[in-house]
Amino acid sequence: MSAVPFVGNIDDASFTPAEACALVRLLDALQLHASDRDALLRAAFERVCQAFNGAGGCALIHPSPLRLAYHSNLPPALVAHLQNALPAEEVDSVAFAQNAFAAHNVACDILPLTARDRIVGVLCITTASHSPACGDVWRARAGAWIGDALARAHEQTLPRQSIEWYREFVEHSPDAIWESDAQGQLVFVNDATCELLGYTRAEMLAKCVKEFEQDPLTYRDAVRRELRDKGMLVNKLAHLRTKNGLIKTFRFTTRQVSDQQGNPIRFQTIMRDVSDQEELAHSLQLSNQALAALNGIANIFSRPSELSHALTLVCEQIASITGMETVAIHLIDPTRSFLDMAAQHGLSDTLLPQVQRLGLDDPITRSIALEGRVIAERDVMTFVGTGFAGPRSEGYHAGICAPIRRRGESAGVLFVGSRLVTGYRQSDVDLLTNVANQIGVALENADLYLQMQNRVRELEGLAQLSTACVSTLDPDSLYRLVVDSTLELLAADVAEIRLVENTHLARVAIRLRDGEPRSHAPISLAGLEALVNSHKPLIINDRDNDPHTTPEIRDALALSDWRAMLAVPLYTHDRLIGTLAVLRALPHPWSRKETDLLRTVANQVVNAIYNAQLFQKVLAEQRQTKAIFDSGLNGLYVTNARGYLTMFNDAAEHLTGWRRDEAIGQPWEKIFANADDSPDKSLVHQVIAARKNVYPRAGRTIQRRDGTRMPVLEAAAPLFDDKGSVLGIVGALWDLSREKQAELERANLMEVFAHQLSTPLTTLVNAAEMLERPSLKPAQRAVLLGILKNEGARLQTFARQFLGKKGAFASSAPVNLQALSLLPLVESAVQRYRTDNRQHRLRIKTTRPLPLVLADPERVEHVLANLLDNAVNYSPEGTPITIALRASDAHVEVAVTDQGIGIPLDEQELIFQRFYRVRQPTGERVHGHGLGLAIVREMVTEMQGTVWVESRVGNGATFRFTLRRQK
């Protein structure tokens, strides 16, 4: 190491002889220890301490942070302070030293050490005197020499330390490091290299690099060319053979060292064993590929309705991810005797016919398909046994067979094959096993999807049938709807309905999928004891072999050439009314599901059939009643409680000269006015006031329509509703022009006529009471009740009153105010009118939630019924009727709006009076007595509400009423 060069002349006159001697001694020490920084610092401190006549001190040097490099003869507390209080950042070292020594009352002289005009430390010399021993020039020169010497010593120490550290790092590095000459002969290896490859250092240095390499020659040549072109290879892979024969994967970086002419003289390489990482990465890659494949297959199976196409796509996917050229999926047939091909990929035209169906009598195939065995063969040519004959004949070697299971049972086999000899990892087998499991799940999902579709179809069919059943009361139309729906729901060849007629079942409707019925013969009930007595279905899977087939049934089926039949009884009110049956041309084992479905259909339609029959009976009774009313020789009429005519028979037209359409809606006094203008009270008022029959009444003369006069005999009786209120009167009159002397006979005739009316009316009432049984559905009950109770009860009251029975006009029931929800009552009323009046469109408008009201529920129902009846009667067919509900602070308002004829302003108050009716523009009158709105006002008033109407002629009407809110 060369001496430290110094600048300056120590013989300068500015130095005293003592200072010059001190500088010489300092210079000698710096030159002597120039290469050892610590020794240089100690020697420099001693020379300065001598020059300053010091007793001790310390050296604090940079670079940052400041450190205590040397100390001598200092109090321990000061030394501890200097060691512990040294700052971590750059500081003014002179000030720090002064403060530290002053804190411990130790006098010192401080010499700053500088290098390149920068303080690199201080020498602190303890002195007995405060007078400086040397001048400022000497101090500056000494501080510069020492600082410069320390800096140069530090600079020369760093490379040496770096080289020593590098050699130590290379030798003990966990990475393998070697160096080779230009010919590839190893000239250096570290401990890690020897340990990883299993050789001693001597064994390694006796070998060439190529003796360890296991990569193909083309790869090694490409690596060397790249190294020659670039001078360095970074992050490359190499496979090296260890002493025990294992192949390890290394990731390496190599640097080429060249001479001045650019020729390579050394190759330095650092390597890291990444065998585990590469294996892990490879396994992860395979796992990702398997996961991606399974996800892809899952996506393919996401459409259960396209299973056949999905299986073909899965075969293609399996071939792609496994690299195998042939994939086949076989499923077990229902007899569990064969495997039938469901999809395939890559099968040759010659092999395809051989494997289209595989028998499960083959031991290998059976063990896979039924026993769940997984087979993975790298070369089936060496397989011992007769299995895989077809693939072997086609030159196949490798193959994997995995069972397909569905709901825990064997469902088929997945075959994958290749013409190449192939070694399998367990992950390959696991992947195909998972795929086979997914196929099984897909098959199960397809079954569930098919069942769901069938169930949806059945529910939709039942819903449509239910709607159809309430859409008509015509029996023939209903029968056709039922057999059509049943045929589609059961997917049968024939559906038929038979009804009981005496001792036989007569067919009333039949629907065939193809052709025409061959026989219409009835079936005797004698051979159907189980069906009639136990309510059980009749199940015949094959008429020729089924033990349940009686001779009567066998003969009936033979006539129509049907082999299988499923029939369920139609029971209502504990009475058999008929059967619903489906039939097939071939033998068919009827399932529990089919039996339950037919029962459901039968339960759904039986009441509709019964009600349709009953409705037809009611219509017949009504026609009979009307015929009786119109066929009488005496004049008959009916008025409402206000005395306005509501019914007028043909004989009354003939007697009075007024046409029916002219008389209906007119007051009784106008049609039956006294010819002599006598002030007698009208017959209507007499009957209503007396609330009893008034007859006979002879000796009165009326004025006919043409002005002529006619002596008449009259009788009348009040009409009562169910609550005893007078609805009006029924009256009769006889022409006494020719038979004045026959009054008694006419009275007797009147009594006979009243009895004739009573009989059919009683039948109507009884029918209505039967419909009120709990077994009827609400919608069906509403249809018949709307007809029977409104018309039948009214006519029965007519007959009862005519025979002299008593009643009351107004309801005597007390008002029962209670908190109730108004909307359900409105919805119930609307539902009844929707059923009875399908020619109108009824809708509800409301704000939710509505508050509770204080009202009598029976009176609210009666008010709603009258307002809706009024809207229906005065509105054209097809027009909407709206019921709106709105709440205010104190009330809830209900508004019924129609699109009818409207009400003139001068009649809007009159319509709430008894017996008043608004005339139609055509002059016709709708059915009724004119009591409805009067009763509405009375009932609303009783519930402490108000009712009014808003209308313009030709623009419909809105009837509003209010009820109090519950507080």
Side-chain angles (χ1 to χ4, degrees):
M1 176 91 45
S2 60
V4 180
F6 294 102
V7 180
N9 184 0
I10 61 175
D11 295 331
D12 193 308
S14 57
F15 297 114
T16 66
E19 290 176 338
C21 290
L23 283 176
V24 170
R25 287 193 297 271
L26 177 61
L27 180 60
D28 290 341
L30 296 178
Q31 290 177 339
L32 178 62
H33 302 286
S35 60
D36 187 345
R37 189 181 183 199
D38 292 336
L40 185 148
L41 183 60
R42 287 193 299 273
F45 177 81
E46 291 173 356
R47 298 298 184 270
V48 173
C49 192
Q50 292 173 1
F52 282 20
N53 297 319
C58 68
L60 300 171
I61 65 170
H62 294 280
S64 181
L66 190 67
R67 69 184 181 88
L68 179 62
Y70 178 77
H71 64 88
S72 174
N73 295 328
L74 289 178
L78 177 57
V79 174
H81 178 87
L82 292 173
Q83 289 175 337
N84 298 330
L86 290 173
E89 64 278 355
E90 186 74 34
V91 297
D92 184 348
S93 53
V94 175
F96 175 79
Q98 289 174 344
N99 293 334
F101 276 79
H104 290 272
N105 296 319
V106 177
C108 74
D109 198 347
I110 296 176
L111 176 65
L113 307 179
T114 61
R116 300 181 182 89
D117 298 327
R118 181 173 178 271
I119 295 178
V120 297
V122 293
L123 295 180
C124 302
I125 309 299
T126 58
T127 60
S129 172
H130 292 288
S131 60
C134 299
D136 291 339
V137 175
W138 189 95
R139 294 162 67 89
R141 182 65 57 84
W145 282 0
I146 296 172
D148 189 53
L150 287 173
R152 291 180 177 275
H154 178 69
E155 291 173 355
Q156 294 185 26
T157 301
L158 287 177
R160 183 180 70 252
Q161 292 177 341
S162 178
I163 292 172
E164 292 173 354
W165 179 88
Y166 176 74
R167 289 175 179 171
E168 187 74 12
F169 170 79
V170 168
E171 189 62 41
H172 297 94
S173 173
D175 294 327
I177 300 175
W178 70 22
E179 187 174 350
S180 64
D181 60 17
Q183 288 72 40
Q185 179 66 42
L186 290 174
V187 296
F188 171 78
V189 293
N190 69 346
D191 290 341
T193 306
C194 298
E195 182 179 352
L196 289 173
L197 296 179
Y199 293 94
T200 65
R201 192 184 300 270
E203 290 172 336
M204 291 285 296
L205 294 177
K207 293 180 177 293
C208 292
V209 172
K210 63 183 179 180
E211 296 181 53
F212 300 95
E213 296 175 341
Q214 293 300 314
D215 293 309
L217 181 61
T218 54
Y219 176 76
R220 297 201 300 270
D221 291 343
V223 168
R224 292 190 179 96
R225 285 195 300 271
E226 186 177 356
L227 180 60
R228 184 173 60 251
D229 295 339
K230 297 182 178 180
M232 178 175 283
L233 295 177
V234 179
N235 205 23
K236 295 291 184 179
L237 284 178
H239 299 87
L240 304 182
R241 183 185 297 276
T242 64
K243 186 176 182 178
N244 60 8
L246 295 177
I247 303 299
K248 290 189 174 183
T249 302
F250 289 87
R251 190 167 294 279
F252 70 90
T253 296
T254 296
R255 184 173 73 94
Q256 176 179 293
V257 181
S258 304
D259 58 15
Q260 294 181 351
Q261 288 75 34
N263 298 317
I265 58 176
R266 288 284 191 276
F267 296 98
Q268 298 172 339
T269 303
I270 180 169
M271 302 176 291
R272 177 167 293 179
D273 183 5
V274 294
S275 301
D276 293 341
Q277 294 91 320
E278 288 297 312
E279 181 65 24
L280 181 61
H282 182 63
S283 299
L284 183 60
Q285 182 181 10
L286 293 178
S287 298
N288 289 337
Q289 291 175 350
L291 181 60
L294 292 175
N295 288 337
I297 291 173
N299 289 333
I300 292 174
F301 282 141
S302 63
R303 298 178 294 276
S305 61
E306 306 172 8
L307 182 63
S308 178
H309 179 62
L311 292 177
T312 301
L313 294 178
V314 167
C315 290
E316 297 174 0
Q317 183 84 350
I318 294 172
S320 174
I321 63 177
T322 62
M324 311 283 273
E325 57 261 39
T326 302
V327 181
I329 297 174
H330 284 70
L331 301 179
I332 298 177
D333 76 328
T335 66
R336 303 187 70 80
S337 302
F338 300 96
L339 284 174
D340 291 325
M341 180 177 291
Q344 62 87 21
H345 172 77
L347 285 175
S348 64
D349 294 338
T350 55
L351 182 59
L352 186 58
Q354 302 179 51
V355 297
Q356 194 72 41
R357 167 167 278 198
L358 303 176
L360 290 179
D361 53 350
D362 177 72
I364 298 299
T365 306
R366 186 176 185 85
S367 68
I368 301 170
L370 298 183
E371 299 173 8
R373 179 184 175 189
V374 179
I375 295 179
E377 289 290 332
R378 66 185 303 273
D379 190 356
V380 295
M381 294 299 183
T382 62
F383 186 79
V384 178
T386 59
F388 309 110
R392 283 197 283 190
S393 67
E394 288 285 314
Y396 282 86
H397 286 270
I400 298 179
C401 308
I404 298 171
R405 302 185 68 80
R406 174 173 54 189
R407 299 177 187 169
E409 297 183 354
S410 300
V413 179
L414 170 64
F415 296 101
V416 181
S418 174
R419 291 183 173 87
L420 299 176
V421 177
T422 305
Y424 299 110
R425 291 185 296 271
Q426 184 60 39
S427 59
D428 299 326
V429 178
D430 292 342
L431 173 62
L432 290 178
T433 302
N434 285 334
V435 172
N437 291 336
Q438 280 206 3
I439 294 174
V441 172
L443 294 174
E444 183 175 352
N445 289 340
D447 289 344
L448 294 175
Y449 180 77
L450 181 59
Q451 294 176 18
M452 181 187 69
Q453 281 189 317
N454 291 337
R455 186 59 177 162
V456 169
R457 181 179 62 83
E458 292 170 2
L459 293 175
E460 289 178 347
L462 290 173
Q464 293 173 359
L465 178 59
S466 177
T467 303
C469 286
V470 300
S471 67
T472 180
L473 286 171
D474 176 54
D476 292 336
S477 299
L478 182 61
Y479 300 152
R480 288 194 298 271
L481 288 170
V482 172
V483 294
D484 289 349
S485 299
T486 304
L487 187 72
E488 296 304 321
L489 285 172
L490 274 295
D493 296 326
V494 183
E496 70 172 15
I497 295 177
R498 291 178 179 266
L499 297 182
V500 175
E501 290 186 2
N502 297 322
T503 60
H504 290 77
L505 287 172
R507 181 189 295 153
V508 296
I510 186 171
R511 166 72 188 280
L512 284 75
R513 193 168 296 279
D514 297 302
E516 295 293 333
R518 302 181 183 179
S519 172
H520 296 276
I523 299 176
S524 173
L525 289 172
L528 302 174
E529 288 82 0
L531 189 90
V532 174
N533 298 326
S534 64
H535 295 207
K536 294 181 179 179
L538 179 63
I539 303 174
I540 298 176
N541 298 325
D542 185 357
R543 71 165 189 252
D544 297 330
N545 301 310
D546 199 303
H548 299 95
T549 308
T550 63
E552 293 83 1
I553 296 297
R554 184 180 294 107
D555 293 343
L557 293 177
L559 287 174
S560 299
D561 199 20
W562 304 121
R563 295 289 297 276
M565 180 176 75
L566 174 62
V568 295
L570 298 175
Y571 268 91
T572 180
H573 301 87
D574 297 325
R575 183 171 64 88
L576 178 70
I577 65 170
T579 60
L580 174 64
V582 288
L583 302 98
R584 288 184 178 272
L586 299 176
H588 177 75
W590 299 103
S591 67
R592 174 66 178 274
K593 178 183 175 183
E594 291 173 315
T595 304
D596 291 343
L597 180 58
L598 189 60
R599 275 177 162 172
T600 301
V601 174
N603 292 335
Q604 191 164 355
V605 305
V606 62
N607 287 328
I609 293 174
Y610 176 77
N611 291 336
Q613 294 174 335
L614 185 58
F615 180 73
Q616 295 302 313
K617 183 178 179 180
V618 170
L619 289 181
E621 295 287 353
Q622 285 183 329
R623 287 192 291 269
Q624 181 181 0
T625 300
K626 186 176 186 303
I628 294 173
F629 187 84
D630 289 338
S631 64
L633 298 177
N634 305 313
L636 296 177
Y637 61 87
V638 178
T639 75
N640 59 22
R642 297 174 59 202
Y644 286 82
L645 293 172
T646 59
M647 295 181 66
F648 208 68
N649 75 342
D650 296 340
E653 283 187 332
H654 175 72
L655 293 176
T656 63
W658 289 85
R659 295 197 314 269
R660 191 194 315 266
D661 59 345
E662 295 175 330
I664 297 297
Q666 296 295 329
W668 180 90
E669 292 85 353
K670 182 176 181 179
I671 305 301
F672 302 104
N674 288 328
D676 54 2
D677 296 326
S678 64
D680 293 344
K681 195 174 184 180
S682 72
L683 182 62
V684 174
H685 294 154
Q686 293 181 45
V687 173
I688 292 176
R691 295 176 60 85
K692 65 181 181 179
N693 299 350
V694 176
Y695 69 92
R697 183 184 178 198
R700 197 169 76 88
T701 302
I702 65 171
Q703 183 172 331
R704 303 176 72 247
R705 180 77 165 85
D706 58 4
T708 60
R709 298 184 177 189
M710 181 180 68
V712 296
L713 176 66
E714 295 177 300
L719 291 174
F720 298 100
D721 61 13
D722 293 339
K723 297 180 180 180
S725 300
V726 177
L727 298 175
I729 72 164
V730 55
L733 73 158
W734 295 265
D735 182 6
L736 297 182
S737 299
R738 299 179 181 178
E739 300 179 356
K740 287 187 177 182
Q741 303 302 319
E743 293 181 357
L744 181 60
E745 288 80 4
R746 292 178 185 271
N748 292 336
L749 179 62
M750 182 63 189
E751 184 174 355
V752 171
F753 179 77
H755 280 288
Q756 288 178 338
L757 282 180
S758 177
T759 301
L761 291 176
T762 301
T763 302
L764 291 179
V765 174
N766 291 337
E769 292 175 349
M770 292 175 65
L771 286 180
E772 291 178 340
R773 292 182 177 179
S775 59
L776 288 179
K777 294 182 180 178
Q780 298 164 339
R781 182 180 296 112
V783 172
L784 295 178
L785 287 177
I787 296 173
L788 299 180
K789 294 186 70 176
N790 293 340
E791 298 295 329
R794 186 178 299 160
L795 292 176
Q796 184 192 37
T797 302
F798 171 87
R800 184 173 63 248
Q801 294 167 342
F802 199 80
L803 292 174
K805 297 185 178 181
K806 298 181 181 180
F809 178 80
S811 173
S812 60
V815 179
N816 179 23
L817 295 180
Q818 55 183 275
L820 56 85
S821 177
L822 193 57
L823 184 57
L825 296 178
V826 174
E827 291 175 338
S828 176
V830 168
Q831 183 59 37
R832 290 196 298 271
Y833 275 84
R834 281 176 177 162
T835 304
D836 299 342
N837 302 279
R838 288 181 294 275
Q839 68 273 23
H840 290 88
R841 293 180 285 118
L842 282 77
R843 59 188 180 187
I844 300 173
K845 295 174 60 177
T846 181
T847 57
R848 297 174 181 265
L850 284 172
L852 298 179
V853 297
L854 285 175
D856 185 329
E858 293 184 3
R859 281 170 166 77
V860 172
E861 290 177 353
H862 195 91
V863 168
L864 290 171
N866 272 281
L867 293 181
L868 289 176
D869 186 60
N870 191 70
V872 167
N873 289 336
Y874 284 97
S875 297
E877 293 185 2
T879 59
I881 296 174
T882 303
I883 301 90
L885 293 88
R886 181 173 62 89
S888 63
D889 293 338
H891 298 88
V892 174
E893 178 186 288
V894 181
V896 179
T897 302
D898 61 50
Q899 305 297 320
I901 61 175
I903 304 170
L905 183 60
D906 58 350
E907 292 189 55
Q908 290 181 11
E909 185 58 28
L910 296 177
I911 61 175
F912 291 100
Q913 299 177 12
R914 296 176 182 178
F915 311 113
Y916 188 90
R917 300 296 304 272
V918 176
R919 182 180 297 277
Q920 295 271 23
T922 60
E924 298 179 354
R925 303 298 299 271
V926 296
H927 181 75
H929 307 292
L931 285 175
L933 293 179
I935 295 174
V936 165
R937 170 167 283 183
E938 290 176 10
M939 290 188 172
V940 171
T941 303
E942 288 173 346
M943 293 184 288
Q944 302 178 28
T946 58
V947 61
W948 70 97
V949 65
E950 298 171 357
S951 176
R952 287 192 303 170
V953 176
N955 290 325
T958 298
F959 286 85
R960 303 181 186 273
F961 69 93
T962 61
L963 297 172
R964 289 188 302 148
R965 289 180 56 159
Q966 183 193 27
K967 298 300 183 181

